[in-house]
Amino acid sequence: MNILLLGSGGREHALAWKMRQSPLCERLFIAPGNAGTAQIGENVSLSATDFPAIKSFVLDKNISLVIVGPEEPLVKGVTDFFRNDAALSHVAIIGPAAYGAQLEGSKAFAKKFMARHNVPTAQYAEITSHTEGVEFLKTLQPPYVLKADGLAAGKGVLIINDLGEAIESLKVMLEGQFGDASRKVVIEEFLDGIEFSVFALTDGKNYVILPEAKDYKRIGEGDTGLNTGGMGAVSPVPFVNDELWQKVEERIVKPTINGLHTEGIDYVGFVFFGLIRVGHEPMVIEYNCRMGDPETEVVMPRLKNDLVDLFQKASAGRLSEIQIEKDKRTATTIVLTAGGYPNDYKKGDVITNTVREDSFGEGGADAIIFHAGTKKIDNQIVTNGGRVMAITAYGDDIPAALSVSNKYAELVQFDGKYFRRDIGLDLLKVN
Ligand code: AMP
Ligand code: GLY
């Protein structure tokens, strides 16, 4: 079958890499893609939110499966657009309709959903009036967690130690610091623990759980400095033992998927559970309606199942037939960023010494280079974003995999390259 994947990051390169391995995959198009996806499929210059253009392309190229990588087209209703158009009704689309995408698109929607289905999460209040917000803040202990209700490009969460500062920040948020996204603010109790991520693929009723992962969001080693889109990830997460996994499945994954089903929510796609272990108990920090980036760059390499088959079964309501098989090895990924990121950074620097991703395990290459912000111009690959590449390697444990990721992170060259060398090492000390 012909497949269209929407998006252009490391996540999309990893999804494309995995789908390319399937005998079910004939032509694979990525819109808009990057220099890495162009090596294994056909990039198409289409915006992931230009739905009429996507429709023409899908019909023209006889596409029967569409995978939505990022959240924005989902929250804006790309799935509804497909469902409501008779000419597209035969096309399977992976990603929830807009109503269900609010699990990510509205923090207040997600919190109310969790409350209805007894999914463990932080105590909270949904605030539109500053006076009410101040009253609620006074009932909490510091630090204070303030979240813009809507999508804010990963920047909408503030964690503040001082009550006076939290009161002031709440005012600025409600006045539109993050545009309409923060006209409503969710204030939460602070949870103290260690975070990890779990990913389910659901057909709306049944689900499968993919390998878990942990990502590293801060720019600096030792988890210091500014928040980024993600500087690296590991899978598996050593502290996620059988007991914790069972609790996650029974208390969080099952009630969430059952909740979607019993509420009649049209949801065929990924649910990304951003979790935190508090003491020995898992709680939900957030839901996302898509895979994580850079988590996908370690999850896909550990997934043994045919991903296209999983997507077909998901859209046919047949995920109950699937048993997930995982590679036992550890995978680590290190993100190479452009100098200055997550603040201003340059684009257009030439990248050298990249390794073809399809040479993994052959010809001496023992890493997979997933491209993110890259672009091909005049036969050269140049930087085209803050997160440039994610370098994934396998090993028997985190240090072994990390040393290979590090080796290739050193080899790839571009002006201003930066990366963290400590991805996953903190986990060696966590029980
Ligand atoms: P979110 O966008 O909801 O995932 O929040 C971004 C980050 O803020 C999370 O990955 C956590 O590190 C942190 N965070 C969010 N909510 C809480 C909370 N209730 N307690 C502690 N940390 C939180
Ligand atoms: N790495 C976190 C995310 O994709 O939201």
Side-chain angles (χ1 to χ4, degrees), residues 6-71:
L6 301 181
S8 63
R11 167 182 52 215
E12 284 73 26
H13 190 183
L15 291 169
W17 170 84
K18 184 69 184 158
M19 289 196 286
R20 183 78 274 176
Q21 294 165 22
S22 167
L24 298 166
C25 179
E26 289 171 44
R27 290 181 80 179
L28 175 60
F29 299 95
I30 307 95
N34 58 40
T37 61
Q39 291 171 353
I40 51 172
E42 300 169 62
N43 283 358
V44 197
S45 130
L46 271 183
S47 152
T49 50
D50 185 349
F51 304 160
I54 293 171
K55 173 182 172 179
S56 308
F57 185 81
V58 162
L59 296 176
D60 185 42
K61 299 292 185 206
N62 197 18
I63 305 281
S64 46
L65 176 63
V66 176
I67 317 300
V68 187
E71 63 279 12

Side-chain angles (χ1 to χ4, degrees), residues 11 104 215 217 229-230 272 286 288 290-295 387:
R11 167 182 52 215
E104 174 163 4
D215 87 331
K217 287 213 177 83
F272 166 163
E286 67 165 350
N288 295 307
R290 46 151 180 106
M291 284 297 292
D293 195 352
E295 291 93 328
R387 291 191 292 169

